[in-house]
Amino acid sequence: MCNENFSVRSENSSLQGKLEGAGGIYIHIPFCKQACHYCDFHFSTSLKKKDDLVSALTRELELRKNEFKNTTVETIYFGGGTPSLLSNDELQVLIDSVYKNYKVAEHPEITLEANPDDLSSQRIKDFVNTPINRLSIGIQSFFEADLNLMNRAHNANEAKACLEAATKHFDNISLDLIYGIPGASNEQWMENIEIALGFNVPHISSYALTVEPKTALAAFIEKGTIEDVDDEQAHEQFHILKAKLEASGFVHYELSNFGKENYFSKNNSAYWQGKSYLGIGPSAHSFNGKQRGWNVRNNSKYIKAIQQNNLPIEIETLTLTDQYNEYIMTGLRTIWGVSLPKVEKDFGITFKNYLIEQSDVFINQHLLYIDIDDEHLRVTKEGQFLSDGIASELFKIN
């Protein structure tokens, strides 16, 4: 059917797993004004294919509707890339396509990732007249030196101005901050947090700066142009963040996410709680409990396949061990933890006993604990920053 280096599937060949209950739809918009030095997501700085891409996204939503035949869509999430590069009309076309082809909850969470340089006061006012009800704004830092190091498209004044305008019109706002930036002191990090809190947003996502292979940041560090990330300082800044936000009424409900009560991200929470989601667009990932799928990471190949009514998607069927490992990884990142009764019910007593045995060393190091009231395994305060590494040590190999 095709000699490309990815599997092309007909519209009748798709993920066939957990098809009932609630789920979410993620729509990947693969365009950016410029490349951030740390980013390894799939995107293009050319908008030449934007019209074709929007048409292809709309068509993929139609082609895959049977995957969610018995699923209610609770969340629609525009990620990227930079979704705020789309016009409101283009966003509305995609939202309309979801409503046309899927069963949508009465009050879904509809999130748009946006960069400050796209959020003029007028653009924010215009969003009020769309179904979008949550903004996730990529601030990253309020300091020019940090923004320049990361090659962000906005400046510090734009970051503050967009939040000033957004908070006048939107209640549900999340902002992103990055810690562990070379040259950024703990005092500067604290100031970043305090500036963010001054806007009274109800949700903050914060990530350690990670040096991904083949990024500009990795090349600059290798050449000595930029100093390497200091893991110890990143660890310190994580605990500064946690202490400051919890003291300000935020719940640290997932490793990188802090929310006020009733403002947890429904989209992200669904991922961590194992709900089904469809990933629409080039490089987007999907999951249904039994299978994982990912679209081709190439705009032209994606558009061409969809125009031919084919799905350019690779699908992996998860073994029982894979499903167990997935649950351990996602569960330990959250306040909900890993349910020992669920492990026994879904995977068997052998898996439960293995988990308890493997956890023992981390319990003795005060990095994990078992809550005897609800029989959940959770990370301690000391273990949170290390949760991904701990989880990997609890995986079963076969």
Side-chain angles (χ1 to χ4, degrees):
M1 190 186 323
C2 180
N3 60 6
E4 302 286 9
N5 60 353
F6 58 86
S7 297
V8 176
R9 301 174 182 269
S10 72
E11 60 182 286
N12 294 318
S13 180
S14 54
L15 273 68
Q16 300 294 330
K18 182 170 59 181
L19 299 177
E20 296 184 359
I25 292 180
Y26 171 86
I27 302 175
H28 187 78
I29 309 301
F31 301 114
C32 288
K33 289 180 180 176
Q34 62 190 50
C36 297
H37 287 160
Y38 57 87
C39 184
D40 70 340
F41 289 175
H42 170 66
F43 66 91
S44 171
T45 54
S46 169
L47 299 180
K48 287 191 297 183
K49 296 182 183 295
K50 184 159 73 82
D51 291 347
D52 288 341
L53 191 282
V54 172
S55 295
L57 294 172
T58 304
R59 182 59 179 150
E60 186 186 0
L61 283 165
E62 184 179 354
L63 291 174
R64 300 185 67 183
K65 61 185 178 183
N66 286 337
E67 293 180 46
F68 264 28
K69 185 176 181 180
N70 300 312
T71 301
T72 299
V73 174
E74 292 185 327
T75 63
I76 303 169
Y77 192 99
F78 290 95
T82 309
S84 50
L85 287 176
L86 295 192
S87 70
N88 285 10
D89 287 344
E90 289 167 330
L91 293 168
Q92 187 66 57
V93 164
L94 294 170
I95 294 171
D96 287 346
S97 183
V98 174
Y99 273 86
K100 177 182 177 182
N101 293 290
Y102 299 82
K103 179 183 177 183
V104 181
E106 187 174 354
H107 299 291
E109 176 188 88
I110 304 180
T111 302
L112 177 78
E113 286 186 353
N115 281 345
D117 45 301
D118 295 324
L119 294 182
S120 65
S121 295
Q122 187 58 53
R123 185 82 197 275
I124 292 168
K125 289 178 184 177
D126 291 342
F127 282 141
V128 174
N129 298 316
T130 74
I132 294 164
N133 52 33
R134 184 174 184 271
L135 296 179
S136 177
I137 304 175
I139 300 295
Q140 315 309 358
S141 176
F142 293 99
F143 288 88
E144 296 295 350
D146 296 343
L147 297 172
N148 289 334
L149 182 147
M150 294 184 285
N151 199 39
R152 295 292 292 170
H154 67 276
N155 59 45
N157 287 333
E158 287 174 320
K160 295 172 184 176
C162 84
L163 285 173
E164 183 92 25
T167 51
K168 291 178 181 177
H169 299 281
F170 278 84
D171 174 52
N172 198 351
I173 295 174
S174 177
L175 63 82
D176 289 355
L177 292 175
I178 291 179
Y179 58 89
I181 298 172
S185 66
N186 290 352
E187 291 73 23
Q188 181 177 311
W189 175 235
M190 177 66 83
E191 188 173 346
N192 253 327
I193 299 168
E194 290 175 346
I195 293 172
L197 289 174
F199 289 99
N200 293 316
V201 295
H203 191 280
I204 293 176
S205 296
S206 190
Y207 309 89
L209 182 64
T210 303
V211 184
E212 301 290 354
K214 300 181 181 179
T215 60
L217 179 62
F220 292 146
I221 289 174
E222 185 176 350
K223 293 176 182 176
T225 307
I226 296 175
E227 60 183 287
D228 202 352
V229 172
D230 185 333
D231 290 337
E232 184 175 337
Q233 185 176 54
H235 196 171
E236 291 175 5
Q237 292 182 355
F238 170 80
H239 285 292
I240 290 171
L241 173 77
K242 177 179 174 63
K244 185 66 176 177
L245 293 188
E246 289 183 339
S248 300
F250 285 79
V251 178
H252 188 195
Y253 70 99
E254 192 273 340
L255 178 62
S256 302
N257 287 270
F258 300 78
K260 295 285 184 71
E261 291 290 349
N262 300 318
Y263 286 97
F264 296 179
S265 168
K266 293 180 181 179
N267 173 80
N268 294 349
S269 295
Y271 293 163
W272 303 315
Q273 293 175 343
K275 294 183 179 180
S276 299
Y277 56 89
L278 287 183
I280 304 296
S283 83
H285 284 231
S286 303
F287 177 74
N288 64 16
K290 305 292 185 182
Q291 296 172 309
R292 185 186 294 112
W294 53 96
N295 287 349
V296 65
R297 191 181 168 104
N298 181 289
N299 291 356
S300 296
K301 291 179 180 179
Y302 169 80
I303 292 169
K304 180 180 178 182
I306 296 296
Q307 287 175 340
Q308 297 173 350
N309 291 329
N310 292 318
L311 298 176
I313 185 172
E314 292 282 350
I315 295 175
E316 173 190 13
T317 298
L318 303 179
T319 66
L320 192 67
T321 298
D322 292 334
Q323 293 173 48
Y324 163 84
N325 291 344
E326 185 100 19
Y327 177 54
I328 299 303
M329 173 62 77
T330 55
L332 282 187
R333 290 179 63 97
T334 73
I335 58 172
W336 302 292
V338 172
S339 166
L340 297 179
K342 176 178 171 63
V343 170
E344 182 174 355
K345 176 178 177 292
D346 291 354
F347 308 108
I349 189 66
T350 301
F351 280 84
K352 178 183 175 182
N353 289 340
Y354 174 84
L355 174 60
I356 293 173
E357 290 170 6
Q358 293 297 110
S359 299
D360 192 54
V361 62
F362 298 106
I363 292 173
N364 290 335
Q365 294 172 358
H366 306 291
L367 300 175
L368 293 176
Y369 72 99
I370 296 176
D371 190 322
I372 59 175
D373 292 329
D374 62 4
E375 295 185 80
H376 277 61
L377 179 71
R378 296 185 174 92
V379 293
T380 64
K381 178 180 178 181
E382 293 76 15
Q384 281 180 315
F385 187 74
L386 308 171
S387 61
D388 284 349
I390 294 171
S392 67
E393 294 296 322
L394 305 182
F395 287 172
K396 276 184 75 61
I397 304 303
N398 50 47

